[in-house]
């Protein structure tokens, strides 16, 4: 496979508002801390984590929308040198809010042509873009508030396809949709990957969304990657307690199946209160004394499989809480 996008040691800090002390330097909030992974051309890569883990900030950093340090390379070129705006697109978490309420669907999905000054001879009609995502041409005359949730998602997909991007970042692409409509959206993305060779980065808090489309997955917690690897291996044998807990929390239609008690305890801490040691130890049912004082590093434990955990090499169900 050809590497499309590489992220190395990415860090994002946000300056917080100043306090009550005059001339005091405002504190900084670290949102992402040392993120590294790569994405191949035509690949579907899944990024999963709870709200507040930094998923959307990572997507914005990859698009050059927020200041970041580290190395970002698109098609082998440094981010500032790459034609990123034309070759990447985003499907936003709230599709209706991402569309202008004053603009008809047809104008909204062809707007990228005007922004990038694409010659008319190279443009695709709104009707053809809608057809690519399974929508009728008549929808071009509607306004965003007239669309159903599934239609709005497809309209955003049509707009994302206007410039024939190499990478589409889909932020919670199935949020708020019925199960059957979720399947339709995921099938649409799979078809676009197969027919047009588009790479997808799917951002979600729901691991089950990634079971079928994703080739590889990365699990993010409080701004740090805790596990990465081939999707099939991660689902079959999760090694980090956080990943195992996310999988164990998925609904199972078979009441005869019993899973290990790996439920996540409590709420995710705020980034201002990121725990010392392993960032997950305050909620981990298997935490040991070492986890509370020593921060594990993300290390490769098998080809293509990385883990940030002191308990590597043990099955989650074999570990004994302390």
């Amino acid at each position: 496979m050809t590497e499309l996008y590489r992220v190395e040691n990415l860090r994002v800090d946000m300056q917080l508002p100043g306090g009550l002390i005059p001339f005091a330097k405002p504190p900084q909030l670290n949102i992402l801390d040392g993120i590294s992974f790569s994405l191949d051309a035509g690949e579907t890569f899944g990024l999963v984590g709870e709200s507040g883990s930094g998923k959307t900030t990572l997507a914005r950093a990859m698009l050059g929308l927020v200041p970041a340090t580290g190395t970002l390379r698109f098609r082998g070129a440094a981010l500032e040198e790459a034609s990123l705006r034309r070759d990447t697109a985003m499907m936003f978490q709230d599709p209706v809010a991402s569309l202008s309420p004053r603009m008809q669907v047809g104008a909204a999905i062809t707007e990228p042509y005007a922004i990038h000054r694409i010659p008319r001879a190279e443009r695709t009609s709104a009707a053809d873009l809608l057809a690519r995502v399974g929508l009728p041409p008549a929808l071009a005359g509607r306004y965003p508030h007239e669309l159903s949730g599934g239609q709005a998602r497809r309209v955003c997909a049509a707009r994302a396809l206007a410039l024939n991007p190499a990478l589409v970042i889909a932020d919670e692409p199935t949020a708020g949709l019925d199960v059957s409509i979720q399947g339709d959206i995921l099938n649409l993305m799979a078809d676009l990957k197969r027919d047009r060779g588009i790479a997808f980065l799917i951002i979600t808090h729901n691991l089950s969304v990634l079971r079928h489309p994703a080739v590889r997955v990365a699990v993010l917690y409080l701004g740090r990657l805790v596990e990465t690897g081939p999707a099939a291996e991660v689902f079959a044998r999760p090694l980090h307690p956080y990943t195992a807990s996310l999988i164990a929390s998925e609904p199972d239609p078979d009441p005869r199946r019993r899973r290990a008690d790996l439920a996540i305890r409590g709420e995710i801490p705020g980034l201002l209160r990121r725990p010392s040691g392993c960032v997950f130890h305050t909620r981990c049912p298997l935490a040991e004394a070492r986890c509370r004082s020593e921060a594990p590093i993300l290390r490769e434990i098998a080809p293509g499989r990385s883990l940030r955990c002191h308990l590597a090499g043990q099955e989650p169900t074999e570990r004994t809480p302390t």
Side-chain angles (χ1 to χ4, degrees):
M1 297 290 289
T2 303
E3 184 177 278
L4 179 66
Y5 202 120
R6 173 167 289 275
V7 178
E8 291 182 353
N9 199 29
L10 178 69
R11 182 182 176 94
V12 174
D13 296 303
M14 178 182 295
Q15 199 79 34
L16 296 177
L20 299 177
I21 303 176
F23 309 111
K25 185 178 180 180
Q28 278 195 333
L29 175 65
N30 173 241
I31 301 176
L32 296 174
D33 185 16
I35 304 297
S36 298
F37 66 93
S38 64
L39 177 67
D40 290 335
E43 179 185 18
T44 298
F45 190 97
L47 181 67
V48 66
E50 295 171 282
S51 296
S53 61
K55 304 186 302 297
T56 299
T57 300
L58 176 55
R60 293 180 181 276
M62 290 178 64
L63 292 172
L65 299 178
V66 297
T69 60
T71 302
L72 298 172
R73 303 190 72 84
F74 183 73
R75 286 177 170 160
L79 193 62
E80 60 271 16
E81 301 170 4
S83 57
L84 192 69
R85 289 290 182 268
R86 283 202 52 175
D87 292 329
T88 59
M90 189 161 185
M91 294 169 58
F92 295 92
Q93 182 172 349
D94 188 341
V96 175
S98 71
L99 299 170
S100 171
R102 299 180 180 86
M103 190 177 291
Q104 290 181 326
V105 165
I109 63 178
T110 56
E111 186 180 23
Y113 295 136
I115 294 174
H116 292 275
R117 300 178 180 179
I118 305 299
R120 292 192 177 276
E122 299 178 16
R123 301 183 183 187
T124 303
S125 68
D128 286 343
L129 288 172
L130 289 171
R132 287 180 185 176
V133 297
L135 292 176
L139 219 63
R142 293 189 185 180
Y143 287 90
H145 71 273
E146 300 177 285
L147 304 175
S148 67
Q151 288 174 334
R153 295 280 178 189
R154 289 175 181 268
V155 165
C156 285
R159 183 176 60 181
L161 295 176
L163 297 175
N164 293 315
L167 170 65
V168 172
I169 299 177
D171 191 359
E172 299 285 2
T174 62
L177 301 178
D178 293 338
V179 174
S180 61
I181 306 301
Q182 290 182 19
D184 290 342
I185 297 300
L186 293 175
N187 288 337
L188 169 65
M189 295 168 69
D191 292 342
L192 293 172
K193 171 187 172 181
R194 182 192 66 235
D195 298 338
R196 308 186 69 83
I198 297 174
F200 282 92
L201 173 62
I202 301 178
I203 298 172
T204 181
H205 68 280
N206 185 359
L207 259 174
S208 62
V209 169
L210 303 175
R211 274 193 178 272
H212 300 295
V215 176
R216 291 184 295 151
V217 297
V219 183
L220 190 66
Y221 185 78
L222 280 181
R224 295 176 183 171
L225 291 179
V226 297
E227 184 168 1
T228 66
E233 293 182 17
V234 172
F235 279 108
R237 186 172 174 262
L239 297 178
H240 196 281
Y242 180 56
T243 310
S245 298
L246 290 175
I247 293 175
S249 65
E250 293 181 28
D252 193 330
D254 189 347
R256 296 170 297 179
R257 294 181 184 170
R258 299 185 63 184
R259 300 187 180 186
D261 183 13
L262 293 169
I264 306 177
R265 301 177 296 189
E267 298 288 334
I268 184 171
L271 289 168
L272 282 173
R273 296 178 289 109
R274 182 184 277 136
S276 59
C278 173
V279 291
F280 186 58
H281 85 260
T282 58
R283 304 173 70 198
C284 180
L286 309 166
E288 300 175 350
R290 181 185 181 189
C291 304
R292 301 181 181 95
S293 59
E294 182 181 342
I297 62 173
L298 185 70
R299 57 193 178 92
E300 189 174 57
I301 59 172
R305 192 88 187 267
S306 297
L307 184 69
R308 188 192 299 272
C309 183
H310 294 309
L311 307 176
Q314 303 178 55
E315 293 290 345
T317 53
E318 295 175 352
R319 301 171 187 157
T320 302
T322 61

